[in-house]
Amino acid sequence: MVERPRRGRPPASDQQRQQQRLDISRHAVRLFREHGVAATSGEQIARATGISERTLWRWFRSKESCVEPLLSKSIDAFGAVLRTWPPELELAEHLRAAYTPVLDADDDIEAVLAVIRMTHDEPALRALYLVLRERAEPAFAEVLADRMGLPADALEVRMQAAATSAALREATDDLVATATSEGIPQAVLQEHRDRVADALRHLTHPSG
């Protein structure tokens, strides 16, 4: 039996899907900023991205969830620096040298900060942001557990991971209040790094 060639587009790779999701996220954020979340529809986001509305809903459960890929760039940035924490350094010192508030800081940095800024006024976006941060805590716990010599599910480790996530969230919220459409000045970025580092130093050395 001769096998007929498959018609249509070949299936997208994981990397292509991630890039497409990120592209949708960029368009969604732009529309949210221009028109507001309530006045922006899924149909508008799909049309701006050049995909069908059916495809949009297959990849995202709601129009608000379209911002997930961009929000994740901020959350993933801390996870990435945490995984490269050298054994000879305290976390605070490593953060001062290596931490950036957005993973692969590029043209998306202003859009990422804009999304976080919008979470202050949009309950649905805020809830999504907090859920994403909570989901990142187990990854933080794995690294912290190794340093503390405890299982990742130990109460002390989980509390430390939750406190670390909360400190990072508060510092990032503070950062977006000072960021501009031109991005983050180096002085402001360094101040942000110092605040995150100082907060985590106090968490791990409360009497220091």
Side-chain angles (χ1 to χ4, degrees):
M1 181 176 178
V2 178
E3 188 174 318
R4 294 183 179 181
R6 297 176 64 180
R7 295 183 177 180
R9 296 180 180 178
S13 66
D14 287 343
Q15 185 176 2
Q16 288 173 323
R17 281 193 292 269
Q18 290 175 7
Q19 188 58 46
Q20 288 169 332
R21 282 172 53 84
L22 184 57
D23 191 42
I24 293 169
S25 192
R26 291 174 179 135
H27 283 290
V29 170
R30 177 180 59 80
L31 291 170
F32 288 165
R33 296 177 71 185
E34 290 177 358
H35 307 295
V37 176
T40 300
S41 67
E43 180 184 4
Q44 289 174 301
I45 296 171
R47 186 166 61 244
T49 313
I51 61 173
S52 69
E53 193 172 356
R54 180 179 179 181
T55 297
L56 178 74
W57 298 135
R58 189 169 69 244
W59 287 356
F60 296 96
R61 62 189 178 278
S62 67
K63 65 181 180 181
E64 289 85 1
S65 69
C66 289
V67 305
E68 280 189 23
L70 278 173
L71 278 179
S72 293
K73 294 190 83 172
S74 173
I75 297 167
D76 292 347
F78 185 79
V81 75
L82 199 60
R83 288 191 296 272
T84 61
W85 179 10
E88 69 275 9
L89 289 181
E90 289 195 4
L91 179 57
E93 299 313 309
H94 177 50
L95 292 174
R96 290 185 202 279
Y99 173 60
T100 178
V102 177
L103 186 64
D104 301 325
D106 51 21
D107 293 340
D108 284 331
I109 189 167
E110 202 273 327
V112 171
L113 297 180
V115 176
I116 297 175
R117 189 178 297 115
M118 282 190 284
T119 67
H120 297 167
D121 303 312
E122 297 288 345
L125 294 184
R126 189 65 178 179
L128 175 69
Y129 181 46
L130 295 179
V131 167
L132 288 175
R133 285 208 169 277
E134 184 176 341
R135 287 178 185 169
E137 289 177 17
F140 298 171
E142 288 184 9
V143 178
L144 295 171
D146 184 59
R147 292 305 183 99
M148 298 168 70
L150 294 169
D153 61 353
L155 178 60
E156 299 94 321
V157 175
R158 288 185 285 115
M159 289 181 65
Q160 185 68 55
T164 297
S165 181
L168 184 64
R169 184 193 69 233
E170 293 299 328
T172 304
D173 282 348
D174 190 59
L175 174 66
V176 300
T178 59
T180 67
S181 59
E182 286 75 34
I184 308 175
Q186 282 301 312
V188 173
L189 176 58
Q190 189 57 54
E191 183 179 3
H192 174 65
R193 285 174 175 156
D194 290 341
R195 286 183 176 180
V196 172
D198 288 342
L200 294 184
R201 181 186 291 278
H202 287 309
L203 284 173
T204 55
H205 300 86
S207 60

Coordinates of all heavy atoms in Angstrom, one line a residue, residues 78 81-82 90-100 193 196-197 200:
F78 N 14.4 34.8 37.8 CA 15.0 34.5 39.1 C 15.3 33.0 39.2 O 16.4 32.6 39.8 CB 13.9 34.8 40.2 CG 14.5 34.6 41.6 CD1 15.3 35.6 42.1 CD2 14.2 33.5 42.3 CE1 15.9 35.4 43.4 CE2 14.7 33.3 43.6 CZ 15.5 34.3 44.1
V81 N 18.8 32.4 37.6 CA 19.9 32.9 38.4 C 20.1 32.0 39.6 O 21.2 31.7 40.1 CB 19.8 34.4 38.7 CG1 18.8 34.6 39.9 CG2 21.2 34.9 39.1
L82 N 19.0 31.5 40.1 CA 19.1 30.6 41.3 C 19.8 29.3 40.9 O 20.6 28.8 41.7 CB 17.7 30.3 41.8 CG 17.5 29.8 43.2 CD1 18.1 30.8 44.2 CD2 16.1 29.5 43.6
E90 N 27.2 33.5 49.0 CA 25.9 33.6 49.5 C 25.0 34.0 48.4 O 25.4 34.7 47.5 CB 25.9 34.6 50.7 CG 26.6 34.1 51.9 CD 26.3 34.9 53.2 OE1 25.4 35.8 53.0 OE2 26.8 34.6 54.2
L91 N 23.7 33.7 48.6 CA 22.7 34.0 47.5 C 22.7 35.5 47.3 O 22.6 36.0 46.1 CB 21.3 33.5 47.9 CG 20.2 33.8 46.9 CD1 20.5 33.3 45.5 CD2 18.9 33.2 47.4
A92 N 22.7 36.3 48.3 CA 22.6 37.8 48.2 C 23.7 38.3 47.3 O 23.5 39.2 46.4 CB 22.7 38.4 49.6
E93 N 24.9 37.8 47.5 CA 26.1 38.3 46.7 C 25.9 37.8 45.2 O 26.3 38.6 44.3 CB 27.4 37.8 47.3 CG 27.6 38.3 48.7 CD 27.4 39.8 48.8 OE1 27.9 40.6 48.0 OE2 26.6 40.2 49.7
H94 N 25.4 36.6 45.0 CA 25.2 36.1 43.7 C 24.2 37.0 42.9 O 24.3 37.3 41.8 CB 24.8 34.7 43.7 CG 24.5 34.1 42.4 ND1 25.3 34.2 41.3 CD2 23.4 33.4 42.0 CE1 24.8 33.5 40.3 NE2 23.6 33.1 40.6
L95 N 23.1 37.4 43.7 CA 22.1 38.2 43.0 C 22.6 39.5 42.7 O 22.2 40.1 41.6 CB 20.9 38.3 44.0 CG 20.1 37.0 44.3 CD1 19.0 37.2 45.3 CD2 19.4 36.5 43.0
R96 N 23.4 40.1 43.5 CA 23.9 41.5 43.2 C 24.7 41.4 41.9 O 24.7 42.4 41.2 CB 24.9 41.9 44.3 CG 24.2 42.3 45.6 CD 25.2 42.8 46.6 NE 24.7 42.7 48.0 CZ 23.8 43.5 48.6 NH1 23.3 44.5 47.9 NH2 23.4 43.3 49.8
A97 N 25.3 40.3 41.6 CA 26.2 40.3 40.4 C 25.4 39.8 39.2 O 25.8 40.2 38.0 CB 27.4 39.3 40.7
A98 N 24.5 38.9 39.3 CA 23.9 38.2 38.2 C 22.4 38.3 37.9 O 22.0 38.0 36.8 CB 24.2 36.7 38.4
Y99 N 21.7 38.8 38.9 CA 20.2 38.8 38.7 C 19.8 39.9 37.7 O 20.2 41.1 37.7 CB 19.5 39.0 40.0 CG 18.0 39.2 39.9 CD1 17.2 38.2 39.4 CD2 17.4 40.4 40.4 CE1 15.9 38.4 39.3 CE2 16.1 40.6 40.3 CZ 15.3 39.6 39.8 OH 13.9 39.8 39.6
T100 N 18.8 39.6 36.9 CA 18.1 40.5 36.0 C 16.6 40.3 36.2 O 16.2 39.1 36.3 CB 18.5 40.4 34.5 OG1 17.8 41.4 33.8 CG2 18.3 39.0 34.0
R193 N 18.5 45.1 42.3 CA 19.3 44.0 42.6 C 19.7 44.1 44.1 O 19.6 43.1 44.9 CB 20.6 43.9 41.8 CG 20.4 43.5 40.4 CD 21.7 43.6 39.6 NE 21.6 43.1 38.3 CZ 22.4 43.4 37.3 NH1 23.4 44.4 37.5 NH2 22.3 42.9 36.1
V196 N 16.6 43.3 46.4 CA 16.3 41.9 46.4 C 17.3 41.1 47.3 O 17.0 40.3 48.1 CB 16.3 41.3 45.0 CG1 16.2 39.8 45.0 CG2 15.1 41.9 44.2
A197 N 18.6 41.5 47.0 CA 19.7 40.8 47.8 C 19.6 41.1 49.3 O 19.7 40.2 50.1 CB 21.0 41.3 47.3
L200 N 16.6 39.2 50.9 CA 16.9 37.7 51.0 C 17.9 37.5 52.1 O 17.9 36.5 52.8 CB 17.3 37.1 49.7 CG 16.2 37.1 48.7 CD1 16.6 36.4 47.4 CD2 14.9 36.4 49.2

